[in-house]
Amino acid sequence: MANSLSFNTTDLSDYGLTLAHSDIPGLTQQSPSQLIQDISYSFQPKRPPKIINIDVDVMGSTRAILDSYLDDIKFIITHESAKVLKLDHITDRYWNTKLESFVGYYSSPYHWGGTITFKADDPMAYDNSATSSDHAIDSDPDTVVETTGGTGTILPVYTLTAKEDLGAITLKLENLTTDEELQWDGTLNTNSYVTVDVPNWVVSLDGTEDMADVSGQFPRLAANVANSIKVTALYSSVAGVLNIAYRKRYL
Amino acid sequence: MEPALPFILEARNSSDELLAIFENAHSISLTEELNRPPMLDFLLPADDDKLTHISQANQVWLRNYDTGAVLYKFVLGRRGDSRD
C-alpha cells in the first residue's frame, strides 16, 4: 500500500506523491419543487457532481526532481474527458473524474504540499471488479435471476446470443423486479447476438447498431437484490445464452 | 422503481423508424401556444455521437417513457452551437 492515488491507471506514488487527507463527499440530491397554493409538486431528484478534494505531499530528493515530479503529475491528471481515479486506501471502487484544480506551495526545496480537486460529473462510484454472468435460456419464455450488489441502480450491458436459427422474432427482455421491458424485432440466426447497451441506450445486432424496431424501456438492474430477468423468443430447441455485464455502483 | 427518465426524445427517420434515443438531452423545454405548433427546445453535449441524427430529414419524437405514449412529433426548426 503506497498511500497514494492512481489516475487513468498511472500510480502517482511513482512521482513522489503521498496522500495526506482525502475528502470524498457523501450523497446529495437536488429535488426542486414548485409551490402551488399550499402544496408543492416535486420534480425527479437529480444528483449533482461529486467534488473530491485530496490533500497531497510530493517529495523529491532535489528541487529539480521535485519540479520534474510536479510537471509529470500535472501532465498525467489533465484530460478533457473523465478518467478513473482510485485511492489506495479505498480498495474496492473508483470514480470517473476530471481535474478541477491543482494548487499548493513549496514548504522546502524537497517538499510540495497542496490540494488536488477532482470533479466526478457522474457522482456514482464503480466497483473495481466487473461482473459478467452467463445464463442459459432453455425455455420460452425463461426467467433467470441476477443477484446484484452495491447501492446504486446498475446500468448493465445484456448480450443475447442465439444458438439456433430462430428466424424473424420479437425478442423481449424484461426485468420483472424493476418492471422494465425492451422489445426488439428482427431475425436471429445461429450465433447471432443482440446487445442491449443500457448505459448508452443502444441496441445492436452482431455489433452493428439496430434501432429501427426497438420499443419499450431499457431494463436496469436494481442494486443489492435478486433481479428476475425474463427472456422471450431466444429459445426454440437449443438453449440460447444471456450474458449480463456490469459494474456494481455505489451512491 | 422510478423510471430512468420521465420523458425521452427519439430520433426517427422519415419512415418513422427509430434511429437513436437522446439519453444525454438536457434543458428540455416544451412550449405550447394557441394556434401555433408546439415547440421543443433541448441541448445535447457537443461530443454526443447521436448528434448526427439531428437533421432536417429526421424527426424528433417526445415520448412518455413510463407509459410509452408519444406526446408530440417534431421536425428541426433551428440548430445552433453554444460554446463556453
Side-chain angles (χ1 to χ4, degrees):
Chain A
M1 183 77 94
N3 190 33
S4 186
L5 60 94
S6 73
F7 190 77
N8 194 21
T9 71
T10 302
D11 183 354
L12 296 185
S13 68
D14 293 344
Y15 301 90
L17 185 144
T18 54
L19 195 149
H21 174 256
S22 64
D23 176 20
I24 298 168
L27 177 65
T28 55
Q29 281 202 143
Q30 292 175 348
S31 184
S33 55
Q34 177 64 53
L35 178 63
I36 298 175
Q37 294 290 13
D38 55 355
I39 189 170
S40 288
Y41 285 91
S42 171
F43 294 94
Q44 199 170 3
K46 294 180 174 61
R47 300 202 182 99
K50 199 167 264 190
I51 304 297
I52 299 174
N53 290 305
I54 303 170
D55 296 335
V56 299
D57 295 302
V58 183
M59 305 285 285
S61 55
T62 66
R63 172 65 190 256
I65 290 174
L66 177 58
D67 286 347
S68 161
Y69 281 169
L70 290 171
D71 277 345
D72 289 338
I73 291 168
K74 280 185 270 190
F75 178 71
I76 290 163
I77 63 178
T78 305
H79 285 273
E80 289 188 353
S81 56
K83 301 293 179 188
V84 169
L85 170 69
K86 288 182 181 177
L87 306 181
D88 281 358
H89 67 286
I90 300 176
T91 55
D92 63 341
R93 64 192 72 179
Y94 67 85
W95 289 264
N96 292 310
T97 63
K98 277 192 274 195
L99 176 70
E100 278 270 289
S101 65
F102 178 84
V103 292
Y105 62 93
Y106 292 93
S107 63
S108 82
Y110 317 111
H111 172 258
W112 183 93
T115 302
I116 309 178
T117 302
F118 293 100
K119 181 181 178 188
D121 290 310
D122 173 359
M124 306 289 270
Y126 288 78
D127 201 283
N128 284 338
S129 303
T131 302
S132 177
S133 314
D134 281 336
H135 301 275
I137 304 299
D138 52 10
S139 62
D140 188 35
D142 195 4
T143 300
V144 299
V145 173
E146 180 69 23
T147 302
T148 60
T151 54
T153 302
I154 294 165
L155 309 178
V157 175
Y158 302 91
T159 305
L160 302 110
T161 306
K163 292 297 180 183
E164 60 187 313
D165 285 344
L166 292 167
I169 56 169
T170 296
L171 185 65
K172 295 180 185 176
L173 176 67
E174 181 178 11
N175 185 340
L176 300 171
T177 307
T178 61
D179 194 26
E180 294 172 330
E181 183 193 73
L182 185 116
Q183 293 190 24
W184 172 85
D185 290 340
T187 300
L188 280 183
N189 301 315
T190 305
N191 291 326
S192 288
Y193 60 95
V194 172
T195 307
V196 179
D197 182 345
V198 179
N200 296 302
W201 292 44
V202 170
V203 177
S204 54
L205 171 63
D206 294 333
T208 303
E209 201 170 294
D210 191 296
M211 295 289 288
D213 290 302
V214 171
S215 60
Q217 299 181 319
F218 282 77
R220 298 167 294 171
L221 295 174
N224 212 20
V225 296
N227 289 262
S228 296
I229 310 296
K230 181 179 171 185
V231 178
T232 305
L234 192 62
Y235 172 82
S236 174
S237 58
V238 182
V241 178
L242 166 67
N243 176 269
I244 308 175
Y246 58 91
R247 285 180 191 272
K248 288 178 279 191
R249 306 204 306 168
Y250 301 92
L251 292 167
Chain B
M1 195 169 197
E2 289 291 318
L5 294 169
F7 299 97
I8 57 170
L9 301 180
E10 299 174 347
R12 300 250 172 187
N13 65 17
S14 56
S15 304
D16 292 351
E17 290 174 336
L18 179 63
L19 301 173
I21 299 168
F22 298 120
E23 85 278 14
N24 291 323
H26 61 97
S27 303
I28 300 168
S29 139
L30 176 69
T31 306
E32 295 172 293
E33 294 182 72
L34 284 175
N35 299 322
R36 281 190 173 183
M39 291 280 287
L40 178 76
D41 285 289
F42 64 98
L43 299 176
L44 276 179
D47 60 354
D48 193 315
D49 294 340
K50 298 174 183 175
L51 261 176
T52 54
H53 297 300
I54 303 284
S55 74
Q56 293 278 3
N58 294 334
Q59 316 167 59
V60 172
W61 290 13
L62 175 66
R63 184 185 295 277
N64 182 322
Y65 190 54
D66 203 20
T67 65
V70 176
L71 304 179
Y72 288 110
K73 301 175 182 180
F74 301 91
V75 292
L76 180 63
R78 185 174 62 87
R79 174 180 163 155
D81 258 345
S82 169
R83 301 178 191 208
D84 290 327

